[in-house]
Amino acid sequence: MPRYGPMFGPDVTFLGVERCALGEPATYADADVVIVGAPFDGGTSHRPGTRFGPSAIRQACYLPHDGSRPSLALRVDALQDLTVYDAGDVEMFAGDIEGSLTALEEAVHAVTAAGAIPIVLGGDHTIALPDATGAARHLGFGRVSLVHFDAHADTGDVEFGSLYGHGQPMRRLIESGAVRGDRFLQIGLRGYWPGPETLSWMAGQRMRSYEMTEIVARGLDACLTEAFDIATDECDGVFLSVDVDVVDPGMAPGTGTPEPGGLTARQLLDAVRRCCYELPVVGVDVVEVSPPYDHAEITAYLGNRVVLEALSGIARRRRDAAEGTRWDPAQPLLDGR
């Protein structure tokens, strides 16, 4: 069966889910979620290596790759309760940035048009441009809001002589009209970039960016609740983009542009769970896992668990909608057993 990839690493699926081929729509016609690999680091400005991210995220688990992962917190088994396929890697070559981004956009659009949710494994953050654009092509430009976890705003204009790179996808998304600036929520920003000119541009687009000082002062939950209200206003769906460098590099060292002082791994997992349980998520990407700079697979494991939290949140949201129930995070683990 023809498949995209693999480009880097063995052709294994995410934790053992079934394969599909994006060139054969019948193989994912019943899908709830399709995993897509985007092994691209041609937009990296500092340390490369994220081309190996999709393979690392797929494999990072100490449990059998048997297509089953019951969530203790959410009391669902997303890999069983949802129909999840893995389409392998999109063919993306670092020397052909425009061709690579076009190929990924077509892949994401194909998944979205089939009625499934794409979960894209990066790759550097350049891929957010084709990811969110591919979803918006089906759902409507300006109808998809974006919730963006990152240490960096990624709203640069021309960097290293190029319009495309991992520091610019959010500006390109807003300029294209795929995502509205006033429905663009950024969480976890910190450090020493970008400068005043870029920040002024962001303010002019009416973006809402939660820097870590504000998050510490107000609390992450309060900031998320406010962001969710904005994200669901006048939009039909939410795209979730997670850069692992939103987490402090002490807990996620395997990334290209580490910035000290970020969220904890626990905070990110809880936040992703909330996003996918409370919001109408239409797509997810997990980016900037760079295995050459990882230690003991810490960052790869985190990326794997971000994907699992997203899947579990989607599964729990659907179960509660079907059964008229509501998940209670305060419920003791063994109640009712």
Side-chain angles (χ1 to χ4, degrees):
M1 179 184 296
R3 278 167 52 82
Y4 283 77
M7 288 194 67
F8 305 102
D11 190 10
V12 297
T13 65
F14 181 78
L15 301 184
V17 302
E18 295 294 322
R19 290 174 164 81
C20 72
L22 293 181
E24 300 180 25
T27 65
Y28 57 96
D30 62 337
D32 295 309
V33 174
V34 176
I35 307 288
V36 178
F40 181 80
D41 56 14
T44 301
S45 62
H46 187 43
R47 304 192 308 198
T50 57
R51 68 183 65 187
F52 304 109
S55 180
I57 293 170
R58 285 185 174 106
Q59 296 181 72
C61 192
Y62 55 85
L63 296 168
H65 288 211
D66 56 1
S68 174
R69 286 296 182 277
S71 166
L72 294 178
L74 288 161
R75 296 161 175 80
V76 292
D77 185 341
L79 300 185
Q80 293 289 309
D81 297 345
L82 302 172
T83 301
V84 182
Y85 295 113
D86 190 329
D89 290 346
V90 175
E91 293 182 359
M92 304 180 75
F93 299 96
D96 181 11
I97 189 167
E98 293 190 19
S100 294
L101 300 187
T102 297
L104 181 57
E105 181 181 322
E106 292 301 324
V108 172
H109 179 255
V111 172
T112 310
I117 296 173
I119 295 186
V120 185
L121 313 179
D124 73 45
H125 219 159
T126 310
I127 70 168
L129 173 59
D131 292 343
T133 302
R137 278 175 53 192
H138 177 67
L139 297 160
F141 272 36
R143 305 305 305 171
V144 177
S145 60
L146 202 145
V147 174
H148 169 209
F149 288 85
D150 205 327
H152 309 99
D154 292 353
T155 48
D157 190 3
V158 178
E159 304 287 340
F160 304 103
S162 177
L163 290 169
Y164 303 106
H166 73 167
Q168 300 130 278
M170 308 316 173
R171 184 183 286 240
R172 302 286 92 90
L173 279 169
I174 293 171
E175 288 176 337
S176 72
V179 180
R180 291 167 45 173
D182 61 353
R183 296 298 180 271
F184 214 113
L185 296 311
Q186 300 185 306
I187 299 161
L189 304 190
R190 60 189 186 276
Y192 303 88
W193 185 89
E197 183 178 347
T198 300
L199 293 173
S200 295
W201 181 88
M202 293 164 61
Q205 309 308 308
R206 299 173 59 198
M207 299 176 71
R208 183 63 170 96
S209 302
Y210 296 86
E211 194 265 342
M212 280 302 300
T213 306
E214 179 184 357
I215 291 171
V216 170
R218 296 180 57 196
L220 179 59
D221 280 341
C223 294
L224 288 175
T225 298
E226 181 179 277
F228 290 2
D229 287 341
I230 298 170
T232 52
D233 182 33
E234 298 182 355
C235 285
D236 301 319
V238 178
F239 194 96
L240 174 63
S241 187
V242 180
D243 185 330
V244 294
D245 74 20
V246 74
V247 172
D248 189 274
M251 294 185 178
T255 194
T257 50
E259 183 63 55
L263 300 178
T264 66
R266 177 72 267 154
Q267 285 176 307
L268 177 61
L269 295 176
D270 287 345
V272 168
R273 181 190 300 163
R274 273 196 69 187
C275 286
C276 292
Y277 178 68
E278 298 182 25
L279 297 174
V281 169
V282 297
V284 180
D285 61 29
V286 182
V287 303
E288 298 289 351
V289 173
S290 184
Y293 294 95
D294 211 359
H295 173 72
E297 300 179 284
I298 292 171
T299 316
Y301 270 84
L302 177 60
N304 179 285
R305 269 28 185 184
V306 167
V307 175
L308 280 175
E309 289 292 349
L311 286 166
S312 299
I314 292 166
R316 186 75 237 187
R317 177 182 174 87
R318 293 189 179 188
R319 176 181 291 185
D320 283 358
E323 298 178 357
T325 54
R326 182 164 183 81
W327 171 63
D328 177 9
Q331 181 183 6
L333 173 64
L334 301 181
D335 268 15
R337 295 181 183 273

